[in-house]
């Protein structure tokens, strides 16, 4: 249950970060100067920086989503392992009680 709460919290935080990222991404793609002001090397350098920023934002988002999927898969695997261990424990306790009752 605590894992599910933590996962929900992380999903919320990622959603908040995506909203902030969208605002920053929008700001990064809108020049403050009009097209006539951007010429030559300065325009090329600025456009290169923007492309690199956009690529970095996209990569971070993709990597974060992959990590979240991996965490969810691992959480389910661990929950299955815990349930399996609990069944073994319950079975052994039942066997122990049966042996004690037989004495």
């Amino acid at each position: 249950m605590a894992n599910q709460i933590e996962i929900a919290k992380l999903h919320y935080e990622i959603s908040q970060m995506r909203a902030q990222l969208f605002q920053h991404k929008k700001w990064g793609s809108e020049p403050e100067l009009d097209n006539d002001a951007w010429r030559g090397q300065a325009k090329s350098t600025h456009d290169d920086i923007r492309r690199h920023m956009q690529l970095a934002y996209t990569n971070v988002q993709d990597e974060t989503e992959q990590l979240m999927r991996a965490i969810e898969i691992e959480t389910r695997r661990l929950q299955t392992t815990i349930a399996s261990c609990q069944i073994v424990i319950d079975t052994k306790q039942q066997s122990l009680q049966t042996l004690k009752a037989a004495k």
Side-chain angles (χ1 to χ4, degrees), residues 33-66:
L33 302 175
D34 61 17
N35 286 334
D36 292 335
W38 292 102
R39 296 205 191 322
Q41 185 65 30
K43 180 184 185 313
S44 177
T45 301
H46 188 272
D47 288 343
D48 287 344
I49 291 170
R50 285 193 174 167
R51 275 192 292 276
H52 288 288
M53 285 173 51
Q54 188 173 24
L55 181 60
Y57 282 137
T58 302
N59 288 343
V60 167
Q61 182 176 354
D62 291 345
E63 289 174 12
T64 301
E65 288 175 0
Q66 288 173 1

Side-chain angles (χ1 to χ4, degrees), residues 42-97:
K43 180 184 185 313
S44 177
T45 301
H46 188 272
D47 288 343
D48 287 344
I49 291 170
R50 285 193 174 167
R51 275 192 292 276
H52 288 288
M53 285 173 51
Q54 188 173 24
L55 181 60
Y57 282 137
T58 302
N59 288 343
V60 167
Q61 182 176 354
D62 291 345
E63 289 174 12
T64 301
E65 288 175 0
Q66 288 173 1
L67 287 171
M68 286 300 298
R69 282 192 296 273
I71 289 169
E72 289 171 352
I73 290 168
E74 182 65 8
T75 299
R76 284 193 296 270
R77 186 188 71 76
L78 290 171
Q79 287 172 338
T80 301
T81 301
I82 289 168
S84 177
C85 288
Q86 188 61 50
I87 290 170
V88 171
I89 289 169
D90 291 345
T91 302
K92 290 184 184 268
Q93 284 179 334
Q94 184 63 36
S95 295
L96 182 62
Q97 289 175 356

